[in-house]
Amino acid sequence: MAADSRTIVAPTDAELLQAQADLWRHSLYYLTSMALKCAVELHIPTAIHNLGGAASLPDLVTALSLPQTKLPFLRRLMRLLVTSGIFASESGAEVETYRLNPLSWLLVEGVESEDHTYQKYFVLGTISRHYVEAGLSLADWFRKDLPAPLPSPFEGLHGLPLFHETTKLLDEELDRIVNKGKAAHDHLAIGTVIRECGDLFKGLQSLTDCGGGDGTTVRGIIKAFPHIKCTVLDRPEVIEAAPAHDSVTYVSGDMFHSIPPAQAVMLKLVLHFCNDEDCVKILEQCRKAIPSKQEGGKVIIIEILLSPSTGPIMYEAQLLMDMLMMVNTKGKQRDENDWRDIFIKAGFSDYKIVKKIGARGIIEVYP
Ligand SMILES: C[S@@+](CC[C@H](N)C(=O)[O-])C[C@H]1O[C@@H](n2cnc3c(N)ncnc32)[C@H](O)[C@@H]1O
């Protein structure tokens, strides 16, 4: 008799054992996050760096001022973190030695390098009690039939939105940590974008960085392309705190109402905080701020671009960043089809994915 398509074929013994191990991994991955948070809070990356880039367990115990009785426990923590790709280790050596890899290098405090942005606060924010509790409330959130505008699980649970002027009323320390984490996240790899996608800026006379924060990105662009007249638009409280720069014009305002005109408007890591309707509204303002395509008018968008073609690990990272937005904000990460729909709705005629670098896509959109 032909097998009913609804019949579950019993797994083989090997499949069953693999399935159980996979279930362990997926149920317990949060412990990897907690182990990472522990390493950051103990300053393990900085200690390894200060010890010359390699450290044995006894070195680490001494450098971190931990009780000697914790050495075997530290070994178990480091073993998981090495296996998870957070540190490197010298395998086969007589004394096990731990080293920094590119990931743990980003967690070293006080590195003087243009391409180093300290990611401690991204880790502490994303693995904070408030985020974890919001994640735990997800099934309840799905069951509730709430009226629009739909609050995120974070807002539904904690009563206030994240990344908002009211977030500090929920928890001042959380607000401080997540803002520092967001800045560190946004500033990472600016140099790479400028080096790998220099053609984006070549020949540009003027650029408005919309939601440009404290101007870190445009300062990098001006360094490489000093002839570009750069303007940063952001909220008044952000502009007030931005460092002065001779070649940058800072404008306080609201991107939903008006954007300072320029040959190109850039939106870097801004639209992933917005739902589709708000993206369309912002892009309509961008369209008003730029000249025609023939005159070189364009909008430059730099965002995570969801795509399985980036490979399973990068795609998983992109999807986790999408879940991060879904659980904690009203935003989302988008694939090319999502972006195309938004560009058409906002009245643009065409777009080009200029380059994909890492998880990010660089898109030019033309009026
Ligand atoms: C995620 S940050 C991105 C910062 C910057 N583009 C970068 O990549 O470093 C989003 C920025 O948009 C700004 N923003 C949010 N809503 C805004 C609005 N309605 N008008 C102007 N700026 C806004 C925020 O203050 C924040 O600086």
Side-chain angles (χ1 to χ4, degrees):
M1 204 171 83
D4 184 331
S5 61
R6 287 167 300 172
T7 307
I8 297 172
V9 179
T12 63
D13 288 340
E15 284 171 340
L16 206 57
L17 294 172
Q18 184 60 52
Q20 188 189 31
D22 288 341
L23 197 61
W24 290 344
R25 284 192 304 119
H26 292 296
S27 303
L28 297 175
Y29 269 142
Y30 73 93
L31 287 174
T32 307
S33 304
M34 302 303 164
L36 168 63
K37 183 169 186 276
C38 170
V40 167
E41 287 175 337
L42 292 178
H43 305 288
I44 294 176
T46 307
I48 296 178
H49 180 72
N50 292 346
L51 287 164
S56 66
L57 272 178
D59 288 343
L60 270 182
V61 167
T62 307
L64 302 172
S65 306
L66 301 179
Q68 287 298 327
T69 50
K70 294 290 166 52
L71 189 145
F73 300 95
L74 188 63
R75 171 178 290 123
R76 289 159 68 185
L77 182 92
M78 292 304 287
R79 183 171 60 187
L80 175 69
L81 292 173
V82 167
T83 304
S84 306
I86 292 162
F87 292 101
S89 77
E90 223 122 276
S91 55
E94 212 166 281
V95 180
E96 182 147 37
T97 310
Y98 302 100
R99 291 186 174 278
L100 298 174
N101 62 14
L103 191 162
S104 33
W105 181 70
L106 291 174
L107 299 169
V108 175
E109 197 166 4
V111 173
E112 298 284 337
S113 158
E114 248 185 32
D115 284 327
H116 187 273
T117 45
Y118 184 41
Q119 297 297 312
K120 169 180 167 178
Y121 292 100
F122 179 81
V123 174
L124 296 187
T126 50
I127 317 174
S128 64
R129 177 177 68 77
H130 291 88
Y131 277 54
V132 172
E133 286 174 355
L136 290 171
S137 77
L138 201 48
D140 283 342
W141 179 85
F142 266 104
R143 284 192 198 101
K144 280 186 199 144
D145 193 6
L146 299 163
L150 195 60
S152 67
F154 182 100
E155 187 178 354
L157 183 74
H158 298 301
L160 288 168
L162 190 64
F163 296 120
H164 191 261
E165 63 230 30
T166 58
T167 311
K168 57 169 98 61
L169 301 176
L170 172 67
D171 189 314
E172 263 188 47
E173 179 66 358
L174 174 80
D175 186 57
R176 194 182 68 82
I177 288 174
V178 296
N179 282 320
K180 281 182 150 195
K182 176 160 65 83
H185 166 268
D186 294 348
H187 296 163
L188 199 150
I190 289 172
T192 312
V193 171
I194 294 169
R195 281 190 294 275
E196 299 253 326
C197 307
D199 285 353
L200 279 177
F201 308 107
K202 266 189 203 141
L204 267 191
Q205 299 307 312
S206 57
L207 174 78
T208 294
D209 189 5
C210 183
D214 68 0
T216 302
T217 301
V218 293
R219 287 197 297 279
I221 293 170
I222 287 172
K223 211 166 160 196
F225 302 95
H227 66 278
I228 303 179
K229 192 174 158 295
C230 286
T231 302
V232 171
L233 169 75
D234 211 295
R235 291 179 164 137
E237 65 274 18
V238 177
I239 295 297
E240 268 164 36
H245 188 287
D246 286 348
S247 315
V248 181
T249 306
Y250 286 97
V251 176
S252 301
D254 182 351
M255 62 173 100
F256 285 95
H257 291 130
S258 162
I259 294 173
Q263 194 180 7
V265 171
M266 182 164 71
L267 288 158
K268 175 173 160 286
L269 300 172
V270 170
L271 297 179
H272 66 172
F273 276 110
C274 301
N275 60 27
D276 292 350
E277 295 74 39
D278 284 351
C279 286
V280 170
K281 285 181 197 157
I282 294 166
L283 282 168
E284 283 171 345
Q285 293 301 330
C286 291
R287 199 160 47 82
K288 289 185 200 159
I290 55 174
S292 68
K293 184 178 180 185
Q294 293 67 31
E295 292 165 289
K298 63 183 178 182
V299 177
I300 300 167
I301 295 180
I302 304 179
E303 288 281 354
I304 286 177
L305 182 61
L306 295 180
S307 169
S309 70
T310 52
I313 305 251
M314 194 61 94
Y315 190 45
E316 185 189 25
Q318 293 180 327
L319 296 182
L320 287 170
M321 290 299 282
D322 180 52
M323 285 300 285
L324 183 74
M325 300 315 274
M326 185 176 117
V327 172
N328 298 295
T329 74
K330 59 179 182 173
K332 64 201 264 198
Q333 310 295 351
R334 296 177 168 89
D335 64 18
E336 185 175 349
N337 290 334
D338 298 327
W339 284 117
R340 187 187 302 111
D341 287 350
I342 287 171
F343 300 153
I344 291 169
K345 281 190 188 136
F348 285 86
S349 67
D350 200 5
Y351 72 94
K352 182 166 96 180
I353 296 176
V354 177
K355 196 154 186 153
K356 292 180 185 174
I357 46 172
R360 297 169 180 79
I362 321 288
I363 312 175
E364 281 188 347
V365 196
Y366 311 111

